[in-house]
Amino acid sequence: MSDEIKADEITADKPTVAAKVASTAVSPARSAAKLLRPSRRAVLTGLGAAATLPLFGRFNIVRAQGAPLKVGLMLPYSGTFAQLGENITSAFELLIAQKGGTLGGRALEIIKLDDESNPAKGPENMKRLVDRDMVDVVVGTVHSGVLMGMLQVARESGTLLIIPNAGAGAATGAQCAPNIFRSSFSNWQPAYGCGRIAADAGYKKLAYVTWDYAAGKESAAGFEEGAKEKGAEVVQVLTVPFPETNFQPILAQLPGLGVDAVGAFYAGGGAVQFIKDYAAAGLKDKLPLIASGFATDGTLGALGSVADGLVTGLHYADGLDTPTDNAFRAAFKEKAGREADVYAVQGYDAGQLLAAGLEAVQGDFDETDALHKAIAGAKLDSPRGPMTLSPSHNPVHNIYRRVVKNGMNVVDGVAVEALADPGVGCSMT
Ligand code: BEZ
């Protein structure tokens, strides 16, 4: 890339820039990164001294302003959530292509990292992107447990983090920060909507089934809250470890609980297995299932007719039939060769948030406060419908009631309009 700045072009003749950056950076590696890719603010600071610099030195500084912005995509490209990571990536790339390959005049360089949905490697993978690859922005990830390990690195380094799926409440709750944004949902939101859908349908006694990890636990709590507000109660929560797909132990217990219906949180390949096993156990016609829509988004091809009639709740649906959604779906299908789903929408909106920020500062990534303010205040015309961010930087959006018909998650009304996560514990609310 001819525009990219090289280490030896910068360090040799810019002591003023180097000193300024080193005094403000938060980690030695990040300091080094900034030395190699000086910010426009640092460049301007350095210009006072530039008068004394040789001409070739000033030339090099000016070139640095056009350096591509480095974006790290930290997502699962293997394992049970691989397809989710692929759809987020394709849609993020689609948004950039639609913007002509630049955001706010800055070209982007994308670095992809497969996080394998492995929480144990979360902090190390995030550090690798921030300290070794020296990215400016991280877009990631899908799995709540992995996200938990990324948050501390994002907070300490100040790296802009846009979360395109993982719903862990802490990211926009107790661990919220000015540089952390979400384009997806909090785990509480769709599950809360599902609890209301179940109670509105007249079910009084409910069970909940899920994986035993952050997203599952938070979904169970959201479901219970939504159901309780409408007069229903959750009598039992049953779990299997993530990403286990032997659901027989919990399926065997459900008929004996005396419940009217079952709430659920599963996604990706695990959801396909769960829904098939639920039907095979003869439960589909006995105990209505009301799952967070992740169970049937991106999985209907693999599920086939076994999913027909399932009711779910989510912040996206098929058949919204808005000009924005129709255009998005057509463009996504043309690019990726498959139908759009909620993950694609969230990846696209991660791109829209980044675009809103960079366009507001005309690509000057070091106008940090203005950049953050523009992202926080973005009013997106999302394929999901209108979307804004709450004070804790979490999407405010509709939760739709959906029914599976003819291989689609057909919208069947709005369960909760413009639902905001309460952002409990966030110091910015
Ligand atoms: C999560 O871990 O937060 C998550 C994973 C897949 C779908 C939805 C949420």
Side-chain angles (χ1 to χ4, degrees):
M1 227 172 280
S2 60
D3 259 321
E4 206 163 7
I5 204 84
K6 301 277 189 305
D8 55 358
E9 289 175 329
I10 292 297
T11 50
D13 54 5
K14 292 163 196 72
T16 310
V17 174
K20 181 77 184 167
V21 172
S23 69
T24 54
V26 291
S27 75
R30 192 121 184 107
S31 303
K34 292 243 174 183
L35 281 175
L36 303 187
R37 294 180 289 111
S39 66
R40 187 163 158 206
R41 186 182 291 155
V43 167
L44 293 175
T45 309
L47 283 181
T52 62
L53 292 174
L55 186 59
F56 67 84
R58 266 177 274 161
F59 176 71
N60 285 341
I61 290 176
V62 171
R63 277 184 53 199
Q65 294 177 36
L69 196 79
K70 279 188 152 191
V71 181
L73 295 188
M74 181 166 158
L75 291 165
Y77 295 111
S78 59
T80 199
F81 290 159
Q83 190 59 48
L84 286 57
E86 294 292 353
N87 277 8
I88 289 168
T89 303
S90 294
F92 182 78
E93 289 172 346
L94 171 65
L95 185 278
I96 294 163
Q98 287 178 341
K99 294 270 183 188
T102 60
L103 300 182
R106 289 287 290 271
L108 305 187
E109 182 188 339
I110 292 183
I111 298 167
K112 294 179 189 170
L113 187 155
D114 178 9
D115 70 25
E116 305 161 45
S117 293
N118 185 345
K121 292 188 187 166
E124 163 195 332
N125 280 332
M126 179 74 174
K127 277 190 197 137
R128 196 171 126 188
L129 284 173
V130 170
D131 290 341
R132 191 195 73 176
D133 298 325
M134 299 167 189
V135 301
D136 300 289
V137 188
V138 174
V139 175
T141 186
V142 165
H143 183 288
S144 277
V146 179
L147 175 63
M148 291 307 289
M150 299 166 71
L151 291 178
Q152 197 180 345
V153 182
R155 284 162 61 91
E156 284 174 1
S157 65
T159 306
L160 176 61
L161 172 62
I162 302 179
I163 305 158
N165 186 73
T172 51
Q175 297 202 48
C176 73
N179 58 312
I180 298 175
F181 298 87
R182 187 145 44 198
S183 66
S184 49
F185 58 91
S186 72
N187 289 319
W188 176 87
Q189 284 175 304
Y192 172 84
C194 285
R196 288 176 67 124
I197 290 170
D200 279 344
Y203 305 124
K204 292 280 176 225
K205 272 181 89 176
L206 303 160
Y208 200 81
V209 294
T210 185
W211 277 309
D212 185 10
Y213 82 110
K217 287 180 190 151
E218 292 177 2
S219 297
F223 184 83
E224 189 162 7
E225 190 178 331
K228 203 170 170 189
E229 277 178 19
K230 293 249 169 179
E233 65 165 333
V234 174
V235 297
Q236 186 88 42
V237 178
L238 300 171
T239 62
V240 295
F242 178 88
E244 201 171 289
T245 53
N246 174 14
F247 300 110
Q248 298 311 326
I250 57 178
L251 294 176
Q253 291 180 61
L254 287 172
L257 295 177
V259 295
D260 311 319
V262 178
F265 166 82
Y266 293 110
V272 173
Q273 191 62 47
F274 175 76
I275 290 171
K276 284 184 173 171
D277 288 355
Y278 197 84
L283 295 176
K284 190 179 170 201
D285 298 324
K286 287 193 198 132
L287 283 179
L289 192 61
I290 294 122
S292 285
F294 308 111
T296 55
D297 247 65
T299 57
L300 290 179
L303 282 167
S305 59
V306 76
D308 285 351
L310 283 183
V311 172
T312 60
L314 201 64
H315 48 282
Y316 186 59
D318 299 324
L320 289 176
D321 200 21
T322 61
T324 301
D325 189 41
N326 292 343
F328 167 72
R329 293 180 77 103
F332 183 84
K333 191 162 186 189
E334 194 181 325
K335 175 180 171 16
R338 50 188 184 269
E339 295 295 336
D341 59 13
V342 71
Y343 310 106
V345 171
Q346 294 165 176
Y348 192 74
D349 289 342
Q352 291 216 73
L353 288 180
L354 184 58
L358 280 170
E359 283 162 8
V361 298
Q362 292 161 334
D364 185 349
F365 199 71
D366 289 297
E367 288 297 333
T368 314
D369 292 345
L371 180 85
H372 291 168
K373 198 170 165 209
I375 300 176
K379 291 183 174 31
L380 297 195
D381 181 15
S382 165
R384 76 189 79 177
M387 179 189 130
T388 55
L389 292 181
S390 65
S392 62
H393 297 173
N394 193 68
V396 178
H397 51 204
N398 294 337
I399 302 295
Y400 301 101
R401 184 182 195 278
R402 306 126 40 101
V403 183
V404 178
K405 276 186 203 154
N406 302 324
M408 293 180 77
N409 288 294
V410 179
V411 63
D412 186 40
V414 176
V416 193
E417 203 170 328
L419 181 63
D421 181 275
V424 176
C426 174
S427 54
M428 302 190 305
T429 57

